[in-house]
Amino acid sequence: MSGTGVFDTKVLPADNDGIKLAADLLKDGQVVAIPTETVYGLAASALDDDAVARIFDAKGRPQDNPLIVHIDRMEMLPQVARAVPEYACKLADAFWPGPLTMVLPKAADVAPRVCAGLDTVGVRLPAHAAARAVIHAANLPLAAPSANLSGGPSPTTAAHVYTDLKGRVPLVLDGGYSPVGVESTVLSLAGAPTLLRPGFVTPAEIEAVLGVPVVLSDGILAPPPEDLKPASPGMKYRHYAPAAEITLVVGDFAAFGALVAERAKAGPVAALCFEGEEKQLPVPAIAYGRAGDDASQAAGLFRALRAVDGLDIPTVYARMPGDSGVGLAVRNRLLRAAGFRVIKL
Ligand code: TXA
Ligand code: MG
């Protein structure tokens, strides 16, 4: 594989000029970081295997973890998926454009590296206007994983991308905050509908459209067994992990405060909490959303994980999010960031 290029990374607003430059680079086989409604993506042509290799290179991503392909209109779907089951049509009607990725049988034109040797491809039609404008201008389906260094928290601002990928990519398009804040829901339609990764679109919402139950894959709320080959290869990797060691704490705020105060006697401790709780804790604390408000927790989570790392405190205790609605996605990401360490009070 080619070595990581050295670039004088530009950060440009996602206006007409920025979108045109992004499209020109993508047509030329380069990678560009683009905003989406979930998190920023690191895009390249899904039809060009050398371009896709540059994504893996820039991120330091393991080669066996496949990428999601982004399209801007339904007419592009046959270029990416060779069959579109009835379920997929119903879900596209209900949730596209939006934060749902469907795993479908892969079409021949999709570059081999995109799918890491699988016969399936993850496809998504994003809602973000700038993402769609870039796909439209390049007139290419774009493979794009989250635009972070592999293993770290996903980026929800252009500044996060710049911190991670400065010098490794030619262009970051700045489209402001990613409002959803966690990556798309990944649903396999290769067999019975199976949730591979929870996101903003919930299993209950999918069930309501399909009229059949959605299977939750192992590894969403518990570590996948070491020997099991996960249906979604991404599940086996350490993810979203800041340098600090995070432990999730189940219990009310009073018990959380007491635990943090006790542990702080042994050494520096920080807290990830809900808005309004920061000042009431005896240690440095960062809020990742409002208590009981799963959408605000999703929107704030990755920013908070990066900020807690910035404190340079090795031990972090975090308030446990709920598991209903998009809370399931927040809990999944925090459990993984915490290496599934949980204390129940
Ligand atoms: O919201 C998102 O999905 C963002 C934005 C940029 O669209 N992208 C994203 O990509 O999160 P990434 O690469 O960080 O995560 C893709 C996930 C991984 O867990 C991967 O294993 C899974 O989707 N995936 C992709 N293709 C797959 C396939 N053919 N079969 C099973 N899992 C697949
Ligand atoms: Mg990712």
Side-chain angles (χ1 to χ4, degrees):
M1 200 204 292
S2 56
T4 304
V6 178
F7 295 97
D8 178 16
T9 304
K10 287 197 184 93
V11 181
L12 296 179
D15 57 13
N16 288 343
D17 290 348
I19 286 162
K20 180 166 188 312
L21 178 59
D24 289 345
L25 286 164
L26 290 163
K27 284 189 278 191
D28 188 41
Q30 301 300 315
V31 302
V32 175
I34 60 169
T36 88
E37 72 276 23
T38 55
V39 300
Y40 275 68
L42 186 58
S45 167
L47 309 179
D48 177 345
D49 215 36
D50 292 333
V52 175
R54 294 195 175 93
I55 296 178
F56 286 92
D57 240 19
K59 279 189 58 119
R61 182 178 177 105
Q63 294 276 339
D64 63 345
N65 193 7
L67 309 178
I68 293 170
V69 178
H70 298 69
I71 58 176
D72 76 319
R73 53 191 185 271
M74 284 306 277
E75 295 73 52
M76 240 186 202
L77 189 54
Q79 210 177 354
V80 177
R82 69 173 184 273
V84 182
E86 167 95 43
Y87 281 166
C89 297
K90 285 189 176 168
L91 293 173
D93 273 350
F95 300 113
W96 281 359
L100 174 69
T101 296
M102 292 192 261
V103 174
L104 301 171
K106 150 186 156 9
D109 281 355
V110 177
R113 278 191 175 91
V114 171
C115 307
L118 300 171
D119 189 37
T120 54
V121 61
V123 193
R124 165 163 123 78
L125 200 161
H128 198 289
R132 294 172 68 184
V134 172
I135 302 168
H136 185 81
N139 196 26
L140 287 167
L142 297 180
S146 51
N148 51 286
L149 282 176
S150 190
S154 293
T156 53
T157 66
H160 294 163
V161 179
Y162 189 75
T163 300
D164 278 16
L165 299 181
K166 180 180 186 307
R168 304 172 77 95
V169 301
L171 175 63
V172 179
L173 273 193
D174 188 347
Y177 284 92
S178 293
V180 171
V182 291
E183 308 87 341
S184 61
T185 304
V186 180
L187 183 78
S188 173
L189 293 172
T194 303
L195 186 75
L196 301 180
R197 179 175 74 184
F200 193 77
V201 176
T202 66
E205 288 172 328
I206 294 167
E207 286 172 348
V209 170
L210 297 184
V212 297
V214 169
V215 179
L216 299 203
S217 68
D218 296 335
I220 288 178
L221 294 178
E226 289 282 320
D227 52 343
L228 188 94
K229 192 172 186 297
S232 182
M235 304 271 280
K236 74 181 186 218
Y237 296 106
R238 186 177 139 94
H239 255 105
Y240 319 116
E245 187 180 273
I246 299 181
T247 302
L248 273 163
V249 182
V250 181
D252 63 19
F253 180 62
F256 180 79
L259 173 94
V260 163
E262 181 60 33
R263 298 291 165 102
K265 290 178 190 161
V269 162
L272 273 172
C273 61
F274 298 126
E275 279 170 30
E277 295 175 351
E278 303 94 317
K279 294 254 159 55
Q280 303 174 57
L281 290 165
V283 301
I286 288 169
Y288 68 90
R290 289 181 291 278
D293 178 349
D294 49 11
S296 84
Q297 293 165 15
L301 181 66
F302 288 134
R303 176 194 46 76
L305 283 174
R306 283 174 183 260
V308 91
D309 240 2
L311 297 175
D312 233 7
I313 294 175
T315 307
V316 176
Y317 293 95
R319 298 269 274 141
M320 185 65 125
D323 65 355
S324 62
V326 65
L328 183 66
V330 179
R331 185 178 283 200
N332 166 266
R333 305 307 191 272
L334 258 176
L335 278 167
R336 295 170 71 90
F340 294 92
R341 264 183 308 274
V342 177
I343 295 178
K344 294 197 173 88
L345 298 176

